[in-house]
Amino acid sequence: MTGGGKGRLFTIGLVTAWYSSNIGVLLLNKYLLSNYGFKYPIFLTMCHMAACSLFSYAAIAWLRLVPMQLPRSRLQLAKIAALSLVFCASVVSGNISLRYLPVSFNQAVGATTPFFTAVFAYLMTVKRESFLTYLALVPVVTGVIIASGGEPSFNLFGFIMCVGATAARALKTVLQGILMSSDGEKINSMNLLMYMAPIAVILLAPATIFMEDNVVAITMELAKKDFNIIWYLLFNSSLAYFVNLTNFLVTKHTSALTLQVLGNAKGAVAVVISILIFKNPVSVTGMLGYTLTVIGVILYSEAKKRTKQ
């Protein structure tokens, strides 16, 4: 096989691993928090962050997948801590929403990330996009409004949590661009995760203690009845790190634009698979709304690409 053929196979393998881990962690989160009845989203997120801490250090310090970048100052560490706080809010809110909403609707709301990114970018950097870029956001938001009206399993609290998770995810992206934009503070995503994850564990530990009382004892008691819960948590947490690793590798070996296009398709694949697995009811109105949102996201990506050319 030629070098080009091997390269294509490697890229296909990476993309497949990225899809599998992204969709896998989403579906397993849904299964644990909703179907299995493990109603502790903050503790689950803390497990994810603990795994990310351990695996990130191993990947960088031992396996040397990327060079280690040390924090340059206390100020940079403070900026990383701020990003970690927003990251925690995003993941926890997203996990809470999965207790109340089907994956299909969760993905529809999550597709509005570009809308919140554009809003935060304007508010925090006064960065204006072209008229066409803003126009493309209309179907993004309209689609979610339609999907909300046609969602048989709609839950207001779950919807608020899902919107909060989406907004926090967008805020992290904008903040990261602002806080890590100078040449002296640029840090790759794998090193950033290595520093953010343990900070996230420290932030989530007291929240778990006060908001999910006695969760460790409850988990141990649950494990006596069904030890599978331990394997679920270990596999789920490892998969959460693998999502970040494959995200970094796919971006490195393709491009950010390719990742964006693949991400749009991933949402649709996750919706179909979740409906097949969880058998959640869907309406024609809901699917039309979601389709409109995806079309809006694609139009937004195209408009952004044209303004950069």
Side-chain angles (χ1 to χ4, degrees), residues 24-275:
V25 79
L26 181 68
L27 297 179
L28 192 49
N29 282 348
K30 173 64 180 175
Y31 173 73
L32 284 170
L33 295 167
S34 183
N35 296 62
Y36 188 85
F38 188 79
K39 300 176 181 179
Y40 306 102
I42 303 175
F43 178 71
L44 182 64
T45 307
M46 193 176 76
C47 290
H48 289 181
M49 293 301 104
C52 287
S53 300
L54 293 171
F55 289 134
S56 291
Y57 184 79
I60 295 170
W62 298 341
L63 300 179
R64 303 187 187 281
L65 290 183
V66 293
M68 181 174 284
Q69 296 173 281
L70 297 174
R72 294 174 180 267
S73 64
R74 288 184 180 179
L75 179 60
Q76 189 181 32
L77 268 177
K79 290 176 178 180
I80 291 171
L83 285 174
S84 186
L85 179 62
V86 178
F87 183 53
C88 282
S90 170
V91 180
V92 170
S93 299
N95 284 340
I96 290 172
S97 74
L98 284 171
R99 276 190 61 191
Y100 301 96
L101 298 175
V103 172
S104 52
F105 188 57
N106 180 281
Q107 289 294 286
V109 177
T112 61
T113 301
F115 168 77
F116 288 103
T117 304
V119 171
F120 286 128
Y122 178 75
L123 292 175
M124 300 176 75
T125 66
V126 200
K127 181 184 175 185
R128 291 179 180 272
E129 301 286 355
S130 68
F131 175 72
L132 278 176
T133 305
Y134 286 124
L135 191 64
L137 291 172
V138 175
V140 172
V141 178
T142 306
V144 170
I145 293 170
I146 294 170
S148 301
E151 174 54 52
S153 307
F154 182 82
N155 178 282
L156 182 59
F157 178 70
F159 176 70
I160 292 169
M161 286 293 102
C162 198
V163 171
T166 307
R169 192 159 53 243
L171 178 60
K172 177 187 169 288
T173 301
V174 175
L175 276 176
Q176 191 170 328
I178 296 169
L179 299 179
M180 303 293 171
S181 58
S182 64
D183 290 335
E185 293 193 326
K186 283 182 179 174
I187 185 169
N188 67 53
S189 60
M190 295 307 295
N191 274 274
L192 185 60
L193 180 66
M194 183 178 70
Y195 295 117
M196 281 173 52
I199 295 172
V201 173
I202 294 168
L203 292 170
L204 291 168
T208 302
I209 292 167
F210 288 109
M211 298 175 71
E212 296 178 339
D213 188 39
N214 216 22
V215 63
V216 176
I218 291 169
T219 305
M220 291 299 102
E221 193 62 35
L222 186 60
K224 291 177 183 177
K225 300 173 184 175
D226 181 13
F227 195 76
N228 283 334
I229 184 62
I230 302 298
W231 295 118
Y232 286 146
L233 289 173
L234 288 173
F235 180 65
N236 185 237
S237 301
S238 302
L239 209 54
Y241 170 73
F242 203 60
V243 167
N244 290 282
L245 176 63
T246 53
N247 189 77
F248 171 78
L249 291 174
V250 169
T251 306
K252 183 180 177 183
H253 290 278
T254 57
S255 67
L257 182 62
T258 302
L259 192 71
Q260 195 172 45
V261 173
L262 290 169
N264 295 339
K266 174 185 68 69
V269 174
V271 167
V272 173
I273 293 175
S274 71
I275 291 170

